[in-house]
């Protein structure tokens, strides 16, 4: 089954992260389950933690890019813009969990919130953190992630209490990393401003991909020059704005192909291509088959 990160027009992920009674979600997933071997930029107020089990991947959080390998562990802070993809076409299997920070602090302005969660959740200088294989912190992180995965999968009595307990242990590890990095606050505000601009541009693309879009319009959507816009976009997402636009159009066309209610020409027009031949050319570039071949393979 093909996995997909479902977002609204502002790139806020709409996939559930647990429920009100226990706002915690965990899954064992492979990148090849996503179209193109990647999941697109998105954000969510929940915190995210991951542990690489096999393979390797590239993970982007705001303007930070990480090459993660087996054993590496990652923390993604609340509301950070993030995406992931295969590294040199190699697949990757990993555990990933998202959870509401209230599972750690309990209630606002508690001693735990004031001293340990609020400072980390309200800084521009700790959008993410990688604990690399071979360190003591990483060993602790890996062990706890695997324990939580077992509790979440098997659901024994009191599994929620055990998971909550392990989350607090993980937070203590992350807080120590946060304290060590506080002095390198440097360009936090500048990065936050650039990421805000980038979000505006991506929202513009997602809202207008069915229409012709120019580079001037993209740059204008985030109130910056074309050269600065292209620099920020390429630095953060490792692709040009037009490459992102084309990938997004192809991605949006996939469900239309499978629905079997439109012709190739109609689908091409609906997702913003000027004609079916150009659509087919771009489709083959990213999907390594023609639209008709994809449709035939998915419907049979």
């Amino acid at each position: 089954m093909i996995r997909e990160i479902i977002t609204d027009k502002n790139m806020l992920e709409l996939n559930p992260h647990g429920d009100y009674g226990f706002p915690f979600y965990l899954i064992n997933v492979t990148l090849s389950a996503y179209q193109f071997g990647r999941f697109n930029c998105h954000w969510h107020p929940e915190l995210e933690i991951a542990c690489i089990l096999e393979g390797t991947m590239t993970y982007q959080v705001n303007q930070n890019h990480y090459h993660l390998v087996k054993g590496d562990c990652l923390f993604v802070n609340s509301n950070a813009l993030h995406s992931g993809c295969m590294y040199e076409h190699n697949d990757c299997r990993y555990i990933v969990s998202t959870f509401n920070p209230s599972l750690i602090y309990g209630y606002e302005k508690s001693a735990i919130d004031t001293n340990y969660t609020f400072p980390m959740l309200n800084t521009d200088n700790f959008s993410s953190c990688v604990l690399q294989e071979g360190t003591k912190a990483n060993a602790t992180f890996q062990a706890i992630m695997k324990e939580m995965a077992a509790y979440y999968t098997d659901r024994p009595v009191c599994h929620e209490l055990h998971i909550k307990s392990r989350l607090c242990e993980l937070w203590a590890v992350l807080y120590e990393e946060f304290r060590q990095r506080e002095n390198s606050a440097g360009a936090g505000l500048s990065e936050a401003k650039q990421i805000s601009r980038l979000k505006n541009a991506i929202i513009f693309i997602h809202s207008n991909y069915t229409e012709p879009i120019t580079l001037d319009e993209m740059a204008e959507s985030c109130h910056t020059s074309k050269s600065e816009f292209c620099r920020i976009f390429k630095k953060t997402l490792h692709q040009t704005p037009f490459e992102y636009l084309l990938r997004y159009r192809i991605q949006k066309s996939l469900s239309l192909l499978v629905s079997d209610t439109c012709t190739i020409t109609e689908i091409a027009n609906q997702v913003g291509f000027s004609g079916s031949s150009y659509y087919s050319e771009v489709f083959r570039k990213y999907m390594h088959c023609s639209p008709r071949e994809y449709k035939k393979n998915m419907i049979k």
Side-chain angles (χ1 to χ4, degrees):
M1 185 181 73
I2 296 174
R3 293 190 58 81
E4 181 182 4
I5 301 290
I6 301 172
T7 64
D8 67 9
K9 65 179 182 178
N10 296 317
M11 293 185 296
L12 169 65
E13 184 180 0
L14 300 178
N15 300 66
H17 301 276
D19 54 37
Y20 181 79
F22 192 62
F24 177 92
Y25 179 72
L26 184 145
I27 189 171
N28 189 318
V29 67
T30 58
L31 275 178
S32 57
Y34 293 96
Q35 289 289 356
F36 310 125
R38 65 169 62 226
F39 53 87
N40 289 333
C41 279
H42 63 285
W43 61 273
H44 41 70
E46 293 82 10
L47 304 169
E48 184 166 315
I49 50 178
C51 179
I52 308 300
L53 301 178
E54 294 177 0
T56 178
M57 70 183 294
T58 297
Y59 208 108
Q60 168 255 321
V61 185
N62 286 350
Q63 290 193 329
N64 299 312
H65 286 83
Y66 304 111
H67 175 207
L68 303 179
V69 299
K70 181 179 178 180
D72 286 348
C73 297
L74 171 75
F75 164 72
V76 180
N77 211 335
S78 175
N79 300 325
L81 189 67
H82 56 287
S83 64
C85 65
M86 291 183 183
Y87 179 77
E88 296 183 347
H89 307 292
N90 295 308
D91 204 356
C92 182
R93 184 169 68 88
Y94 57 103
I95 304 171
V96 61
S97 173
T98 51
F99 60 95
N100 191 301
S102 63
L103 284 177
I104 296 170
Y105 65 73
Y107 56 91
E108 290 185 6
K109 298 184 179 180
S110 66
I112 293 175
D113 184 28
T114 301
N115 295 325
Y116 306 113
T117 57
F118 185 86
M120 279 178 59
L121 299 179
N122 292 275
T123 178
D124 293 317
N125 303 307
F126 200 68
S127 62
S128 57
C129 168
V130 170
L131 303 176
Q132 294 183 318
E133 170 80 343
T135 64
K136 182 179 178 181
N138 172 278
T140 302
F141 205 104
Q142 276 197 64
I144 293 174
M145 282 288 288
K146 291 173 182 177
E147 285 181 1
M148 289 196 302
Y151 282 120
Y152 190 77
T153 301
D154 298 338
R155 306 292 175 102
V157 175
C158 296
H159 69 274
E160 299 96 337
L161 291 174
H162 288 296
I163 290 172
K164 178 181 172 68
S165 170
R166 300 309 189 275
L167 280 177
C168 289
E169 291 180 55
L170 272 185
W171 199 259
V173 173
L174 289 169
Y175 184 75
E176 286 300 323
E177 291 292 318
F178 169 66
R179 287 184 61 197
Q180 292 174 21
R181 301 183 189 197
E182 274 188 301
N183 293 331
S184 58
L189 291 177
S190 175
E191 177 187 332
K193 185 176 181 180
Q194 290 183 352
I195 294 302
S196 177
R197 286 178 172 177
L198 183 64
K199 279 185 177 180
N200 289 337
I202 297 177
I203 289 169
F204 175 80
I205 291 172
H206 288 190
S207 301
N208 297 278
Y209 73 93
T210 60
E211 304 296 330
I213 299 177
T214 66
L215 185 58
D216 285 308
E217 290 172 326
M218 293 186 207
E220 185 179 342
S221 71
C222 55
H223 308 291
T224 188
S225 67
K226 288 190 291 185
S227 59
E228 178 66 6
F229 167 65
C230 290
R231 186 191 68 79
I232 295 172
F233 204 102
K234 188 71 181 290
K235 178 181 178 182
T236 305
L237 299 183
H238 282 200
Q239 57 188 312
T240 69
F242 278 112
E243 286 172 336
Y244 183 91
L245 172 61
L246 291 177
R247 285 182 186 275
Y248 190 72
R249 283 172 169 167
I250 294 298
Q251 179 183 326
K252 299 300 286 187
S253 77
L254 299 180
S255 60
L256 297 175
L257 281 170
V258 176
S259 69
D260 200 28
T261 58
C262 302
T263 67
I264 300 298
T265 299
E266 289 171 336
I267 292 172
N269 292 332
Q270 285 185 45
V271 296
F273 286 95
S274 56
S276 59
S277 59
Y278 181 47
Y279 166 63
S280 296
E281 176 187 337
V282 176
F283 192 97
R284 185 176 289 278
K285 175 182 178 181
Y286 292 122
M287 300 300 295
H288 309 294
C289 65
S290 71
R292 294 186 191 283
E293 289 169 340
Y294 179 86
K295 183 175 183 176
K296 181 180 178 180
N297 291 333
M298 294 302 293
I299 291 178
K300 70 179 179 180

